[in-house]
Amino acid sequence: MNKTFSIAVFSGDGIGPEITAPTLDILERMAAASDGYDLRFTDAPAGASHYAQTGESLPEASMDIARASDAILLSAMGLPDVRYPDGTEISPQIELRKALTLFAGIRPVTVKPGQKTPLNLPADRGIDFVLVRESTEGLFHTQGCGEVTKDEARETLLITREISEKLFRFTFDLAATRKKTGRGPGRVTCVDKANVFRAFAFFREMFDAEAAKHPDLIADHAYVDATALWMVQKPWDFDVLVTENMFGDILSDLGAGLMGGLGLAPSADIGLENAVFQPCHGSAPDIAGQGLANPLAMILSAAMMLDWLGLRHDNDAMVQDGARLREAVEDVVARGEVLTRDIGGTAGTKEAANAVLETLFVS
């Protein structure tokens, strides 16, 4: 009998529901075709639209659904004209990270050799690295409660041993897995600003302590400004990078730019017990309801979810389907025949999703 995995689904705001629907359709078809697992989806209301209607951005009932699920699939959240009284945007995804201690934000960056990209890459060069962003503290620690007076405003950066040690263990395990599967050389780069801030010297010290436990892996350091430069000049040199919350927030968008835009940028926020999978882009209310949204980042996030569930539960069928789904999206992008407007094409949401389905089940 197949194992059934429960998935909490946050359909999101703006284009969120439009990219969620075809993603769930693909997942349902893959599960139906597999003899290794089943999926059960449960809707969890949340977000800016829900807040505008009810005064709640993340209801406790939805939080309970998220906690009880095997994984959380979360679509684009937030609307620019719907905000909390303090002027900040509605961000249930950040609330989930903090409530579930999802300390490891995973941002993969992949460009196949010959694939169209804003960079002028050598013909034989591709990009395949992962940025691991600490997602619960750093400069986001005082989100919503920073100190503001008439003449000053302060936010506090926090780095703790409890979270950092978990983060670095996760990061080195990820590098080892990539090395084992042939996707990377087993190299981990700590990205910081330890030459200026004591907090980052502390961060680096804990990184080095974890690195010493993995003599079979390569560990090195890079300052965040140099990393931004090298991500443009020689991105193929990177394997796994790990950094603080704000630095990771910025560098992950640069990574998305290397691929051609946020429409191709998936993500995961992972803790010891729970994980959220979400596209990096926003809710794009200006094109909502028009069938123009790019579903590929959402679909890639679903592929990451299958992979994580498969590894966590020793389910080879899910791992294989996660890889198949990721490769199907990469093939569609590499062919360049069915692309949405944000990445240089003319296709709509359904066309792009159908191209992935056809690659999965026909090619």
Side-chain angles (χ1 to χ4, degrees):
M1 184 175 180
N2 291 353
K3 161 73 173 173
T4 299
F5 294 90
S6 60
I7 312 299
V9 179
F10 291 77
S11 294
D13 301 303
I15 62 170
E18 297 174 57
I19 60 174
T20 300
T23 301
L24 296 184
D25 180 52
I26 290 171
L27 288 172
E28 286 173 343
R29 294 193 189 200
M30 294 186 81
S34 174
D35 59 3
Y37 65 95
D38 287 319
L39 299 173
R40 183 180 70 248
F41 302 109
T42 303
D43 185 56
S49 297
H50 191 79
Y51 177 81
Q53 295 169 7
T54 67
E56 287 186 295
S57 61
L58 182 57
E60 191 57 38
S62 295
M63 193 71 234
D64 290 341
I65 291 171
R67 283 195 177 95
S69 67
D70 292 301
I72 302 160
L73 191 60
L74 189 148
S75 196
M77 285 279 183
L79 294 170
D81 57 347
V82 180
R83 295 174 181 259
Y84 292 120
D86 66 358
T88 58
E89 289 192 25
I90 310 300
S91 303
Q93 62 271 37
I94 298 179
E95 296 174 54
L96 279 167
R97 288 175 201 162
K98 292 181 177 180
L100 301 176
T101 316
L102 308 179
F103 55 84
I106 312 304
R107 309 292 189 267
V109 179
T110 307
V111 177
K112 286 190 171 183
Q115 180 180 325
K116 184 179 178 182
T117 169
L119 292 182
N120 186 21
L121 288 176
D124 62 337
R125 290 286 192 179
I127 304 172
D128 186 355
F129 69 82
V130 179
L131 180 69
V132 181
R133 165 192 176 186
E134 194 290 311
S135 295
T136 61
E137 47 187 37
L139 197 53
F140 281 71
H141 169 64
T142 50
Q143 182 207 7
C145 54
E147 301 174 24
V148 180
T149 68
K150 178 177 178 295
D151 299 309
E152 291 185 352
R154 297 170 184 262
E155 302 281 359
T156 301
L157 182 148
L158 176 70
I159 290 175
T160 68
R161 180 175 297 278
E162 178 186 7
I163 293 296
S164 296
E165 289 183 343
K166 293 175 184 175
L167 177 74
F168 295 137
R169 282 196 296 271
F170 177 93
T171 302
F172 278 92
D173 286 346
L174 174 61
T177 298
R178 282 173 56 85
K179 182 179 180 180
K180 183 178 179 181
T181 57
R183 293 202 67 186
R187 178 184 178 191
V188 185
T189 303
C190 180
V191 179
D192 57 42
K193 199 66 178 170
N195 56 330
V196 176
F197 296 104
R198 295 177 66 186
F200 285 110
F202 178 59
F203 189 73
R204 180 178 287 203
E205 176 186 314
M206 291 180 287
F207 171 85
D208 289 342
E210 183 63 31
K213 302 174 185 177
H214 303 272
D216 56 325
L217 300 177
I218 306 162
D220 58 13
H221 312 93
Y223 297 134
V224 64
D225 43 348
T227 300
L229 174 68
W230 294 333
M231 282 177 65
V232 174
Q233 287 187 332
K234 48 179 183 178
W236 49 81
D237 278 0
F238 291 120
D239 182 12
V240 178
L241 301 89
V242 60
T243 192
E244 175 270 342
N245 206 339
M246 178 61 82
F247 290 168
D249 188 27
I250 296 166
L251 292 178
S252 62
D253 273 21
L254 175 55
L258 302 182
M259 294 188 287
L262 288 170
L264 296 174
S267 76
D269 289 296
I270 297 174
L272 295 181
E273 300 298 331
N274 303 93
V276 171
F277 300 85
Q278 177 191 22
C280 290
H281 59 72
S283 61
D286 56 319
I287 62 168
Q290 300 177 43
L292 301 175
N294 185 346
L296 299 183
M298 184 70 176
I299 296 170
L300 286 169
S301 298
M304 293 178 70
M305 181 186 75
L306 290 176
D307 183 67
W308 179 79
L309 282 169
L311 290 172
R312 181 176 174 81
H313 295 277
D314 196 24
N315 188 309
D316 288 340
M318 299 190 87
V319 173
Q320 291 170 12
D321 273 1
R324 282 181 58 229
L325 184 52
R326 172 179 56 80
E327 290 166 0
V329 173
E330 291 174 354
D331 286 347
V332 168
V333 174
R335 289 198 302 268
E337 298 167 358
V338 186
L339 302 177
T340 49
R341 294 190 310 173
D342 59 307
I343 51 175
T346 59
T349 307
K350 289 183 179 179
E351 291 173 272
N354 286 339
V356 175
L357 266 175
E358 290 172 7
T359 302
L360 278 170
F361 292 108
V362 178
S363 299

